[in-house]
Amino acid sequence: MIVETIDRIKEEIGKDVTLVAVSKTKPVADIETAYQGGQRIFGENKVQELVEKYEALPKDIQWHLIGHLQRNKVKYIAPFVNLIHAVDSLRLLKEINKQALKNDRVINVLLQFHIAQEDTKFGFSFEEAKDLLNDKEFVELQNINVVGVMGMATNTNNSEQVADEFRTLHNYFQIIKSHYFKFNPDFKEISMGMSGDYKIAVEEGSTMIRVGSTIFGTRNY
């Protein structure tokens, strides 16, 4: 079922949208099944679990850290992580930059925006993001590459509200692109949409969706 579901989702979203298969809490065997079916991009939200799976699985997998990241954990994933989605402070960016430098790498990151009506979600406001992007300390970071934005919509059945929140993120992306990354072709990702709302996200301009339970089944926490 895993491979069939991945194929169905990829057909739905089209070739211009990247599918991140969110494998958090799922066994290595499930990831191997998806891998054998051709999936190469996987997302985890806990550093320790990500490191363990990285060590156990083929090295051509692209690993995305999609959960909230603590600064003291960056060093564990810096040698190999492909993209860090949820970057929400200058202090975190400075730590990623520092660890990337130690590993002689440039690490790709997304700026996380708070677009939901839930206080439990992390992320910049638009004003905070502008302050960051104008900050001399940010401009001097050489070992990070900001490739786009990320956000999570409110967990609600109100599809109009979800669409509106995704639209907000898309607008933020366009303004930031035109003001700060006009000449950076790498700044092109809008990571939004999960199992329950990825179809709405794609309609609103998502370039990257993070889908877990639809592919791997519901999680037992």
Side-chain angles (χ1 to χ4, degrees):
M1 272 309 286
I2 289 174
V3 174
E4 289 82 350
T5 305
I6 287 172
D7 289 345
R8 174 178 61 75
I9 293 169
K10 284 182 173 172
E11 203 165 298
E12 283 173 359
I13 63 178
K15 64 182 191 311
D16 295 333
V17 181
T18 300
L19 170 62
V20 181
V22 178
S23 46
K24 63 181 183 180
T25 78
K26 294 299 178 182
V28 163
D30 284 3
I31 302 173
E32 285 173 334
T33 300
Y35 179 88
Q36 297 301 337
Q39 179 66 18
R40 290 294 179 273
I41 303 173
F42 293 90
E44 290 285 334
N45 72 337
K46 288 198 164 57
V47 167
Q48 187 182 344
E49 193 176 346
L50 176 56
V51 171
E52 287 168 3
K53 287 175 176 174
Y54 165 75
E55 287 169 355
L57 285 152
K59 294 300 170 272
D60 62 333
I61 288 177
Q62 292 183 28
W63 290 104
H64 291 202
L65 195 280
I66 62 170
H68 185 64
L69 178 59
Q70 294 166 297
R71 295 197 311 283
N72 62 350
K73 302 272 181 73
V74 174
K75 58 180 177 276
Y76 300 113
I77 60 170
F80 68 88
V81 71
N82 186 266
L83 179 61
I84 298 173
H85 283 237
V87 173
D88 58 1
S89 72
L90 177 58
R91 289 171 75 197
L92 178 56
L93 278 166
K94 284 159 74 174
E95 183 62 28
I96 295 168
N97 188 76
K98 177 179 148 187
Q99 298 300 335
L101 186 60
K102 280 186 186 173
N103 286 278
D104 196 25
R105 295 188 69 209
V106 174
I107 294 178
N108 294 325
V109 302
L110 299 173
L111 300 180
Q112 181 176 9
F113 282 87
H114 189 280
I115 55 170
Q117 286 187 352
E118 295 153 329
D119 292 337
T120 50
K121 300 222 164 77
F122 296 95
F124 292 106
S125 69
F126 188 65
E127 290 308 314
E128 288 167 344
K130 283 202 301 189
D131 289 346
L132 168 82
L133 294 165
N134 287 315
D135 193 309
K136 185 169 153 287
E137 282 191 278
F138 167 78
V139 175
E140 288 171 351
L141 300 177
Q142 296 293 307
N143 288 72
I144 55 151
N145 187 26
V146 179
V147 298
V149 301
M150 177 265 205
M152 285 182 277
T154 304
N155 187 6
T156 173
N157 292 325
N158 183 343
S159 57
E160 275 303 307
Q161 181 183 341
V162 171
D164 191 56
E165 290 169 357
F166 286 150
R167 210 168 296 137
T168 296
L169 185 62
H170 189 258
N171 288 341
Y172 289 169
F173 168 84
Q174 289 182 309
I175 296 166
I176 290 168
K177 171 85 174 166
S178 64
H179 282 69
Y180 300 97
F181 296 97
K182 197 175 201 169
F183 303 108
N184 181 354
D186 293 343
F187 189 87
K188 61 179 192 288
E189 303 296 355
I190 306 174
S191 170
M192 61 185 188
M194 302 190 292
S195 283
D197 56 21
Y198 71 84
K199 290 178 185 173
I200 301 172
V202 171
E203 282 176 17
E204 296 301 336
S206 175
T207 68
M208 186 175 282
I209 61 170
R210 312 177 301 274
V211 180
S213 52
T214 298
I215 295 170
F216 296 109
T218 49
R219 291 187 192 89
N220 304 314
Y221 287 108

